[in-house]
Amino acid sequence: MVGVRGRQKPAKVSEPVDAVDVLVTSGRRRELRALGQLLGAPFRSELASSSREALLRTAARDFAAIVIDATSPALDGFALARAIRARQRTRRVPLIFVIERDADAPRIYRGKGFAPVDHVVRPVDRDVIRAKALASADLARRERRSAGHSEELERAARRARKLELTAAAAAADKRFANLTQAIPELVVTLDSAGSLEFCNRRWLEYTGLSIEHSRGRGWVLAIHPDDRRRSVRAWERSISSGEVLEIECRLRRGFDGAMRWHTCRALPERDDDGTIVGWLGTYSDSEELKRAIRARDEFLSIASHELRTPLTALKLRLESLAHTAAPDERAARRLNGAIRQTERLERLIDHLLDASRISAGRLVLDRSPVSLGEIAGEVVGRAREQPGVTGQVFDLVIEGDVVGTWDRMRIEQVVENLISNALKYGGGRAVGVWVRGADDAVELTVSDHGIGIDAADLSRIFEQYERAEASHGQSGIGMGLYIARQIVQAHSGEIDVDSRLGEGSSFRVVLPRSARPPTPLQ
């Protein structure tokens, strides 16, 4: 029996107004009923005579405290306590153990994860167990209130963070808008499908289009009719692939209808998952640059033609002198040196003429069946005969069928430029020339073991008048590789380079065997 012993003055605990739900557990039914009766009002006791029943009840509803009879041999109170604490719902419900004597108390308080926990000793004092149950209920109520306050504070903190982010986003939007109004470029933003969402004041002022007429796909009306289809296709390709867009087109100026060249560059905007959510584009006026380039090309074309006439006459006179006279050895060396310099000037003039033809779009191809291996062999043979390359080693390898439909003179020019490059920067080491036939293309590789090219220069050596930093001190105007790339691309081919500083360079050309239709960009 639970029994009642002498009264002890319990700690004063405020009596709750509402009923307090308490779960009482014991493996002995008489003890179970006696414990429930001891608690009395305002406690609303639910009785459980087994661990399974107790766990089912705690899973179904919440309790302010749980009383566990640890003296019952039919119910393992400590195992039940561990099971109760293993559940999220009952992890913080106060436990009150009924034990046989105070000496058993340390086991309760050393129990891992039992807290909050208390105990009463048999025979159970009614006032003591009520006071402790009330204290446990009060503790549970305070914890729930504290948890509610914490949740409210967390919600308030989340709201504050959201407001801060909203304010920061608004400030960023305002800063972006101010920046777009301050720069001279025409700025547009498009959604992921290519519909215009925003344009800056410069766009409106230049095109004369209103915001309403520019939105959606209305912005394409500002593009020259001859450039419109090509520009829209370029945008669609970038939107589909996610690649950066860079294209030139003419835009109509609103107040006088003038069409001026602009360079458009657009970058995709991505979310945290990498999904494209929009595009940020700028149109930069390049009309003056275009005019300057045209003027330069016209000057180079005129100057090249004007220089060629007297240079040709000078070369003929020198060659005639070399064949008709019988100069001494010293005079012969000087005469041959003069002839080589005129030939060098001829090559430079040819490069300038080719550059002007390419810029004007006048590079015409005269295609016929050609063997790239035969061309490579002839160019290597002439290179061996050049003064100053005595003892130069050439490794020429030709594999498979290497015939294609190309412009022989232009392809020969590409091979000459690449081998000349290898001789100039190869440091006298062996030059490799490898020609290999594939199914629908032929590949040419020219490699050297010279000074190599810095990684920072690889992307620009195929541009006009560009040379690698390591090549300074060598003669040349930086046109050979540019012309080679233009010729290869005119044949729908590819040219690239693999190089490391101090380890040499390897240039690779891939030429389709037959002509391919030009791409929209071409």
Side-chain angles (χ1 to χ4, degrees), residues 124-161:
V124 178
D125 188 294
R126 182 175 184 274
D127 290 336
V128 171
I129 194 170
R130 282 173 55 82
K132 293 194 173 188
L134 287 171
S136 296
D138 187 58
L139 175 62
R141 188 167 54 251
R142 291 175 186 272
E143 286 200 353
R144 283 195 300 271
R145 189 181 301 123
S146 176
H149 289 163
S150 297
E151 290 177 4
E152 183 60 35
L153 287 173
E154 180 62 28
R155 285 194 293 271
R158 284 198 295 269
R159 286 195 297 269
R161 284 196 296 270

Side-chain angles (χ1 to χ4, degrees), residues 418 422 432 434 443-450 452-453 458 461-462 495-500 503-509:
L418 294 180
W434 181 40
E443 182 178 324
L444 165 72
T445 303
V446 178
S447 59
D448 65 72
H449 304 281
I453 305 169
L458 291 176
I461 58 172
F462 291 103
I495 182 170
D496 55 40
V497 59
D498 180 25
S499 181
R500 289 177 178 80
E503 298 181 14
S505 304
S506 180
F507 287 86
R508 185 180 69 100
V509 174

Side-chain angles (χ1 to χ4, degrees), residues 3-323:
V4 178
R5 68 176 184 180
R7 292 178 180 270
Q8 299 177 4
K9 189 174 182 180
K12 186 175 181 180
V13 179
S14 57
E15 291 281 335
V17 175
D18 298 328
V20 178
D21 291 319
V22 176
L23 177 64
V24 181
T25 67
S26 176
R28 294 176 290 199
R29 294 189 179 277
R30 292 179 61 190
E31 298 290 338
L32 186 61
R33 287 193 296 273
L35 285 171
Q37 292 170 359
L38 277 177
L39 288 171
F43 297 101
R44 191 161 51 201
S45 301
E46 285 204 21
L47 308 181
S49 59
S50 68
S51 296
R52 181 176 180 278
E53 186 180 0
L55 293 174
L56 287 174
R57 291 181 182 275
T58 57
R61 57 177 300 187
D62 293 326
F63 293 96
I66 300 175
V67 178
I68 300 176
D69 182 6
T71 66
S72 171
L75 185 146
D76 188 341
F78 295 103
L80 174 59
R82 285 190 291 271
I84 289 171
R85 287 293 183 251
R87 296 184 175 185
Q88 182 64 35
R89 184 170 189 169
T90 54
R91 187 160 293 171
R92 295 296 301 169
V93 177
L95 303 178
I96 302 174
F97 283 91
V98 178
I99 59 178
E100 201 71 52
R101 55 188 183 278
D102 281 322
D104 296 330
R107 184 182 178 189
I108 298 171
Y109 298 103
R110 286 199 301 265
K112 185 177 181 181
F114 283 173
V117 66
D118 205 339
H119 77 282
V120 292
V121 180
R122 295 186 60 189
V124 178
D125 188 294
R126 182 175 184 274
D127 290 336
V128 171
I129 194 170
R130 282 173 55 82
K132 293 194 173 188
L134 287 171
S136 296
D138 187 58
L139 175 62
R141 188 167 54 251
R142 291 175 186 272
E143 286 200 353
R144 283 195 300 271
R145 189 181 301 123
S146 176
H149 289 163
S150 297
E151 290 177 4
E152 183 60 35
L153 287 173
E154 180 62 28
R155 285 194 293 271
R158 284 198 295 269
R159 286 195 297 269
R161 284 196 296 270
K162 187 175 180 180
L163 290 173
E164 288 176 2
L165 290 174
T166 303
D173 288 344
K174 184 177 180 181
R175 188 176 181 84
F176 170 77
N178 290 338
L179 178 62
T180 61
Q181 307 303 347
I183 60 177
E185 279 76 13
L186 283 58
V187 180
V188 295
T189 64
L190 281 65
D191 64 17
S192 58
S195 295
L196 187 141
E197 295 181 323
F198 167 86
C199 55
N200 68 341
R201 186 171 60 246
R202 283 283 298 132
W203 170 274
L204 301 175
E205 293 172 351
Y206 179 87
T207 64
L209 296 174
S210 66
I211 295 178
E212 290 73 21
H213 285 105
S214 297
R215 290 191 189 280
R217 287 300 182 103
W219 59 274
V220 302
L221 297 176
I223 301 175
H224 191 292
D226 293 345
D227 303 336
R228 192 173 297 159
R229 186 176 182 183
R230 175 174 56 87
S231 298
V232 170
R233 284 185 175 180
W235 268 101
E236 289 173 346
R237 281 193 299 274
S238 290
I239 290 171
S240 175
S241 66
E243 296 177 351
V244 173
L245 168 72
E246 189 160 349
I247 189 173
E248 288 186 326
C249 63
R250 287 163 289 181
L251 295 183
R252 181 181 183 277
R253 189 163 58 189
F255 71 86
D256 62 356
M259 292 290 183
R260 294 178 64 85
W261 282 99
H262 284 72
T263 299
C264 172
R265 182 173 174 82
L267 299 172
E269 296 182 289
R270 302 177 184 271
D271 60 16
D272 293 339
D273 296 329
T275 304
I276 295 177
V277 295
W279 290 81
L280 174 61
T282 60
Y283 285 86
S284 304
D285 194 317
S286 57
E287 180 67 27
E288 299 304 325
L289 177 61
K290 282 273 188 183
R291 290 179 180 176
I293 291 173
R294 283 197 296 269
R296 182 201 65 192
D297 291 339
E298 289 173 6
F299 168 76
L300 290 176
S301 179
I302 294 171
S304 300
H305 282 291
E306 293 298 324
L307 286 170
R308 176 175 281 280
T309 302
L311 184 62
T312 302
L314 175 60
K315 183 183 178 184
L316 289 174
R317 285 176 179 254
L318 290 172
E319 289 176 345
S320 175
L321 183 61
H323 287 94

